[in-house]
Every structure is written in C-alpha cells, then in structure tokens.
Amino acid sequence: MVDFFDTFITDLDCLGYLASIKWGKGVCIRATPSPILID
C-alpha cells in the first residue's frame, strides 16, 4: 500500500497511469467499416 501511494501521489497521477494502460496505443473506433486508430 505504501508503494502505491509513493507511486501515485495525486489522483491525476493514478488516472494518467490507467489511461496509458487503456489507451496507450490510441483509441480504435470499431463502429466504422474499417477500424480507425486515433493517436
């Protein structure tokens, strides 16, 4: 738990990390005939 709070000092630090995991390679829109990758 201490390591967590040392790594993520603010909520924004944590959110930035989670966003980089989820959208690290960009956002892929699959609702189109050909998927579009947005960086």
Side-chain angles (χ1 to χ4, degrees):
M1 195 66 143
V2 173
D3 291 337
F4 178 85
F5 287 110
D6 286 343
T7 302
F8 304 112
I9 297 170
T10 66
D11 289 346
L12 196 57
D13 293 334
C14 186
L15 288 174
Y17 173 73
L18 294 174
S20 72
I21 291 173
K22 186 168 185 172
W23 297 296
K25 295 180 182 177
V27 178
C28 182
I29 302 172
R30 294 188 178 110
T32 60
S34 299
I36 300 169
L37 182 63
I38 301 171
D39 291 325

Short mmCIF file of all heavy atoms in Angstrom, two decimals:
data_model
loop_
_atom_site.label_atom_id
_atom_site.label_comp_id
_atom_site.label_asym_id
_atom_site.label_seq_id
_atom_site.Cartn_x
_atom_site.Cartn_y
_atom_site.Cartn_z
N MET A 1 0.82 -1.18 0.00
CA MET A 1 0.00 0.00 0.00
C MET A 1 0.87 1.26 0.00
O MET A 1 0.55 2.22 -0.68
CB MET A 1 -0.91 -0.04 1.22
CG MET A 1 -2.03 0.92 1.15
SD MET A 1 -3.14 0.49 -0.18
CE MET A 1 -4.66 0.89 0.55
N VAL A 2 1.95 1.22 0.73
CA VAL A 2 2.85 2.37 0.78
C VAL A 2 3.45 2.62 -0.60
O VAL A 2 3.55 3.77 -1.04
CB VAL A 2 3.96 2.15 1.83
CG1 VAL A 2 4.99 3.27 1.77
CG2 VAL A 2 3.35 2.06 3.22
N ASP A 3 3.81 1.57 -1.32
CA ASP A 3 4.36 1.72 -2.67
C ASP A 3 3.35 2.40 -3.60
O ASP A 3 3.72 3.21 -4.44
CB ASP A 3 4.76 0.37 -3.26
CG ASP A 3 5.96 -0.22 -2.57
OD1 ASP A 3 6.74 0.55 -1.97
OD2 ASP A 3 6.12 -1.45 -2.61
N PHE A 4 2.09 2.04 -3.45
CA PHE A 4 1.04 2.64 -4.27
C PHE A 4 1.00 4.15 -4.05
O PHE A 4 0.99 4.92 -5.01
CB PHE A 4 -0.32 2.03 -3.92
CG PHE A 4 -1.47 2.63 -4.68
CD1 PHE A 4 -1.79 2.18 -5.93
CD2 PHE A 4 -2.21 3.66 -4.12
CE1 PHE A 4 -2.85 2.74 -6.63
CE2 PHE A 4 -3.27 4.23 -4.81
CZ PHE A 4 -3.59 3.77 -6.08
N PHE A 5 0.98 4.58 -2.81
CA PHE A 5 0.90 6.00 -2.52
C PHE A 5 2.20 6.74 -2.86
O PHE A 5 2.17 7.94 -3.14
CB PHE A 5 0.50 6.23 -1.07
CG PHE A 5 -0.95 5.92 -0.81
CD1 PHE A 5 -1.30 4.82 -0.06
CD2 PHE A 5 -1.94 6.72 -1.34
CE1 PHE A 5 -2.64 4.52 0.17
CE2 PHE A 5 -3.28 6.43 -1.12
CZ PHE A 5 -3.64 5.32 -0.37
N ASP A 6 3.32 6.03 -2.86
CA ASP A 6 4.58 6.65 -3.30
C ASP A 6 4.58 6.84 -4.82
O ASP A 6 5.14 7.81 -5.33
CB ASP A 6 5.78 5.80 -2.88
CG ASP A 6 6.07 5.88 -1.40
OD1 ASP A 6 5.57 6.83 -0.75
OD2 ASP A 6 6.78 5.00 -0.88
N THR A 7 3.96 5.91 -5.53
CA THR A 7 3.92 5.98 -6.99
C THR A 7 2.88 6.98 -7.48
O THR A 7 3.13 7.76 -8.39
CB THR A 7 3.60 4.59 -7.57
OG1 THR A 7 4.59 3.66 -7.12
CG2 THR A 7 3.62 4.61 -9.09
N PHE A 8 1.70 6.94 -6.87
CA PHE A 8 0.60 7.80 -7.29
C PHE A 8 0.31 8.82 -6.20
O PHE A 8 -0.54 8.62 -5.35
CB PHE A 8 -0.65 6.95 -7.59
CG PHE A 8 -0.39 5.88 -8.61
CD1 PHE A 8 -0.42 4.55 -8.25
CD2 PHE A 8 -0.09 6.19 -9.92
CE1 PHE A 8 -0.17 3.55 -9.17
CE2 PHE A 8 0.16 5.21 -10.85
CZ PHE A 8 0.12 3.88 -10.48
N ILE A 9 1.03 9.91 -6.26
CA ILE A 9 0.91 10.94 -5.23
C ILE A 9 -0.43 11.65 -5.30
O ILE A 9 -1.04 11.95 -4.29
CB ILE A 9 2.09 11.93 -5.34
CG1 ILE A 9 3.40 11.17 -5.08
CG2 ILE A 9 1.93 13.09 -4.36
CD1 ILE A 9 4.65 11.94 -5.40
N THR A 10 -0.91 11.90 -6.53
CA THR A 10 -2.20 12.56 -6.69
C THR A 10 -3.16 11.64 -7.46
O THR A 10 -2.73 10.67 -8.09
CB THR A 10 -2.07 13.89 -7.48
OG1 THR A 10 -1.68 13.58 -8.83
CG2 THR A 10 -1.07 14.82 -6.85
N ASP A 11 -4.44 11.99 -7.43
CA ASP A 11 -5.43 11.24 -8.21
C ASP A 11 -5.11 11.32 -9.70
O ASP A 11 -5.30 10.35 -10.44
CB ASP A 11 -6.84 11.78 -7.97
CG ASP A 11 -7.36 11.47 -6.58
OD1 ASP A 11 -6.76 10.61 -5.89
OD2 ASP A 11 -8.37 12.08 -6.18
N LEU A 12 -4.61 12.47 -10.13
CA LEU A 12 -4.28 12.66 -11.54
C LEU A 12 -3.15 11.73 -11.97
O LEU A 12 -3.15 11.23 -13.10
CB LEU A 12 -3.92 14.12 -11.79
CG LEU A 12 -3.90 14.58 -13.23
CD1 LEU A 12 -5.23 14.33 -13.91
CD2 LEU A 12 -3.55 16.04 -13.30
N ASP A 13 -2.19 11.47 -11.11
CA ASP A 13 -1.11 10.52 -11.40
C ASP A 13 -1.70 9.14 -11.67
O ASP A 13 -1.32 8.45 -12.62
CB ASP A 13 -0.12 10.41 -10.24
CG ASP A 13 0.68 11.67 -10.02
OD1 ASP A 13 0.87 12.44 -10.98
OD2 ASP A 13 1.12 11.88 -8.87
N CYS A 14 -2.64 8.73 -10.84
CA CYS A 14 -3.27 7.42 -10.97
C CYS A 14 -4.10 7.36 -12.25
O CYS A 14 -4.02 6.39 -13.00
CB CYS A 14 -4.13 7.13 -9.75
SG CYS A 14 -4.82 5.46 -9.73
N LEU A 15 -4.88 8.39 -12.52
CA LEU A 15 -5.71 8.42 -13.72
C LEU A 15 -4.86 8.41 -14.99
O LEU A 15 -5.19 7.75 -15.97
CB LEU A 15 -6.61 9.65 -13.71
CG LEU A 15 -7.77 9.61 -12.72
CD1 LEU A 15 -8.49 10.95 -12.70
CD2 LEU A 15 -8.72 8.49 -13.03
N GLY A 16 -3.76 9.12 -14.96
CA GLY A 16 -2.85 9.13 -16.10
C GLY A 16 -2.27 7.75 -16.38
O GLY A 16 -2.17 7.33 -17.52
N TYR A 17 -1.93 7.04 -15.33
CA TYR A 17 -1.40 5.69 -15.47
C TYR A 17 -2.46 4.75 -16.06
O TYR A 17 -2.19 4.00 -16.99
CB TYR A 17 -0.91 5.17 -14.13
CG TYR A 17 -0.50 3.73 -14.16
CD1 TYR A 17 0.68 3.33 -14.79
CD2 TYR A 17 -1.30 2.74 -13.59
CE1 TYR A 17 1.05 2.01 -14.84
CE2 TYR A 17 -0.93 1.40 -13.64
CZ TYR A 17 0.25 1.05 -14.26
OH TYR A 17 0.62 -0.27 -14.32
N LEU A 18 -3.67 4.82 -15.52
CA LEU A 18 -4.75 3.96 -16.02
C LEU A 18 -5.09 4.28 -17.47
O LEU A 18 -5.33 3.37 -18.28
CB LEU A 18 -5.99 4.10 -15.13
CG LEU A 18 -5.83 3.58 -13.71
CD1 LEU A 18 -7.08 3.90 -12.89
CD2 LEU A 18 -5.55 2.09 -13.69
N ALA A 19 -5.10 5.56 -17.83
CA ALA A 19 -5.37 5.95 -19.22
C ALA A 19 -4.29 5.43 -20.15
O ALA A 19 -4.58 5.00 -21.26
CB ALA A 19 -5.49 7.47 -19.32
N SER A 20 -3.04 5.46 -19.71
CA SER A 20 -1.95 4.97 -20.56
C SER A 20 -2.06 3.48 -20.79
O SER A 20 -1.70 2.98 -21.86
CB SER A 20 -0.59 5.33 -19.97
OG SER A 20 -0.31 4.54 -18.82
N ILE A 21 -2.58 2.75 -19.81
CA ILE A 21 -2.78 1.31 -19.98
C ILE A 21 -3.92 1.06 -20.96
O ILE A 21 -3.81 0.25 -21.88
CB ILE A 21 -3.08 0.63 -18.63
CG1 ILE A 21 -1.86 0.64 -17.75
CG2 ILE A 21 -3.57 -0.80 -18.84
CD1 ILE A 21 -2.11 0.16 -16.34
N LYS A 22 -5.02 1.76 -20.78
CA LYS A 22 -6.20 1.53 -21.61
C LYS A 22 -6.04 2.07 -23.02
O LYS A 22 -6.43 1.42 -23.99
CB LYS A 22 -7.43 2.14 -20.95
CG LYS A 22 -8.70 1.83 -21.68
CD LYS A 22 -9.92 2.19 -20.88
CE LYS A 22 -11.17 1.73 -21.63
NZ LYS A 22 -12.36 1.89 -20.85
N TRP A 23 -5.49 3.28 -23.17
CA TRP A 23 -5.41 3.92 -24.47
C TRP A 23 -3.97 4.22 -24.89
O TRP A 23 -3.72 5.15 -25.65
CB TRP A 23 -6.21 5.22 -24.46
CG TRP A 23 -7.65 5.00 -24.24
CD1 TRP A 23 -8.51 4.34 -25.06
CD2 TRP A 23 -8.43 5.42 -23.12
NE1 TRP A 23 -9.76 4.32 -24.52
CE2 TRP A 23 -9.75 4.99 -23.33
CE3 TRP A 23 -8.14 6.12 -21.97
CZ2 TRP A 23 -10.76 5.24 -22.42
CZ3 TRP A 23 -9.15 6.37 -21.06
CH2 TRP A 23 -10.44 5.94 -21.29
N GLY A 24 -3.02 3.43 -24.44
CA GLY A 24 -1.61 3.67 -24.72
C GLY A 24 -1.26 3.68 -26.20
O GLY A 24 -0.38 4.40 -26.64
N LYS A 25 -1.99 2.91 -27.01
CA LYS A 25 -1.71 2.85 -28.44
C LYS A 25 -2.72 3.66 -29.24
O LYS A 25 -2.81 3.52 -30.45
CB LYS A 25 -1.73 1.40 -28.91
CG LYS A 25 -0.63 0.57 -28.29
CD LYS A 25 -0.67 -0.85 -28.76
CE LYS A 25 0.42 -1.66 -28.08
NZ LYS A 25 0.37 -3.06 -28.46
N GLY A 26 -3.51 4.47 -28.58
CA GLY A 26 -4.54 5.26 -29.25
C GLY A 26 -5.90 4.63 -29.06
O GLY A 26 -6.05 3.59 -28.43
N VAL A 27 -6.90 5.26 -29.61
CA VAL A 27 -8.28 4.80 -29.50
C VAL A 27 -8.70 4.22 -30.83
O VAL A 27 -8.53 4.86 -31.87
CB VAL A 27 -9.21 5.96 -29.09
CG1 VAL A 27 -10.65 5.49 -29.02
CG2 VAL A 27 -8.79 6.55 -27.76
N CYS A 28 -9.25 3.03 -30.82
CA CYS A 28 -9.70 2.38 -32.05
C CYS A 28 -11.22 2.48 -32.11
O CYS A 28 -11.92 2.02 -31.22
CB CYS A 28 -9.25 0.93 -32.07
SG CYS A 28 -9.73 0.07 -33.59
N ILE A 29 -11.73 3.08 -33.19
CA ILE A 29 -13.17 3.20 -33.39
C ILE A 29 -13.61 2.05 -34.30
O ILE A 29 -13.28 2.00 -35.47
CB ILE A 29 -13.54 4.56 -34.02
CG1 ILE A 29 -13.04 5.69 -33.12
CG2 ILE A 29 -15.03 4.66 -34.26
CD1 ILE A 29 -13.18 7.05 -33.72
N ARG A 30 -14.36 1.11 -33.74
CA ARG A 30 -14.74 -0.08 -34.48
C ARG A 30 -16.13 0.02 -35.11
O ARG A 30 -16.57 -0.89 -35.78
CB ARG A 30 -14.70 -1.28 -33.55
CG ARG A 30 -13.30 -1.59 -33.09
CD ARG A 30 -13.25 -2.91 -32.33
NE ARG A 30 -11.89 -3.21 -31.96
CZ ARG A 30 -11.42 -3.18 -30.74
NH1 ARG A 30 -12.24 -2.88 -29.73
NH2 ARG A 30 -10.18 -3.45 -30.47
N ALA A 31 -16.83 1.12 -34.90
CA ALA A 31 -18.18 1.26 -35.44
C ALA A 31 -18.16 1.61 -36.92
O ALA A 31 -19.21 1.70 -37.54
CB ALA A 31 -18.93 2.33 -34.65
N THR A 32 -16.99 1.79 -37.49
CA THR A 32 -16.87 2.12 -38.91
C THR A 32 -16.56 0.85 -39.68
O THR A 32 -16.09 -0.14 -39.11
CB THR A 32 -15.76 3.16 -39.12
OG1 THR A 32 -14.53 2.60 -38.66
CG2 THR A 32 -16.05 4.45 -38.39
N PRO A 33 -16.79 0.84 -41.00
CA PRO A 33 -16.47 -0.37 -41.79
C PRO A 33 -15.00 -0.80 -41.65
O PRO A 33 -14.71 -1.98 -41.58
CB PRO A 33 -16.77 0.06 -43.23
CG PRO A 33 -17.74 1.18 -43.10
CD PRO A 33 -17.40 1.87 -41.80
N SER A 34 -14.10 0.16 -41.60
CA SER A 34 -12.67 -0.13 -41.36
C SER A 34 -12.30 0.53 -40.04
O SER A 34 -12.47 1.74 -39.89
CB SER A 34 -11.80 0.47 -42.48
OG SER A 34 -12.14 -0.11 -43.72
N PRO A 35 -11.79 -0.23 -39.07
CA PRO A 35 -11.42 0.38 -37.78
C PRO A 35 -10.46 1.54 -37.96
O PRO A 35 -9.56 1.49 -38.80
CB PRO A 35 -10.77 -0.77 -37.03
CG PRO A 35 -11.31 -2.00 -37.64
CD PRO A 35 -11.53 -1.66 -39.09
N ILE A 36 -10.66 2.59 -37.22
CA ILE A 36 -9.82 3.79 -37.29
C ILE A 36 -9.04 3.90 -35.99
O ILE A 36 -9.61 3.81 -34.91
CB ILE A 36 -10.70 5.05 -37.46
CG1 ILE A 36 -11.52 4.96 -38.75
CG2 ILE A 36 -9.84 6.30 -37.46
CD1 ILE A 36 -12.58 6.03 -38.86
N LEU A 37 -7.74 4.10 -36.09
CA LEU A 37 -6.90 4.29 -34.91
C LEU A 37 -6.60 5.77 -34.76
O LEU A 37 -6.07 6.41 -35.66
CB LEU A 37 -5.60 3.50 -35.04
CG LEU A 37 -4.65 3.58 -33.85
CD1 LEU A 37 -5.31 2.99 -32.61
CD2 LEU A 37 -3.36 2.86 -34.15
N ILE A 38 -6.97 6.33 -33.61
CA ILE A 38 -6.73 7.73 -33.32
C ILE A 38 -5.66 7.82 -32.24
O ILE A 38 -5.83 7.30 -31.16
CB ILE A 38 -8.02 8.43 -32.82
CG1 ILE A 38 -9.11 8.32 -33.88
CG2 ILE A 38 -7.75 9.88 -32.47
CD1 ILE A 38 -10.46 8.80 -33.41
N ASP A 39 -4.54 8.46 -32.56
CA ASP A 39 -3.44 8.62 -31.59
C ASP A 39 -3.71 9.78 -30.68
O ASP A 39 -4.15 10.79 -30.97
CB ASP A 39 -2.10 8.81 -32.29
CG ASP A 39 -1.66 7.51 -32.97
OD1 ASP A 39 -1.94 6.43 -32.42
OD2 ASP A 39 -1.04 7.62 -34.02
#
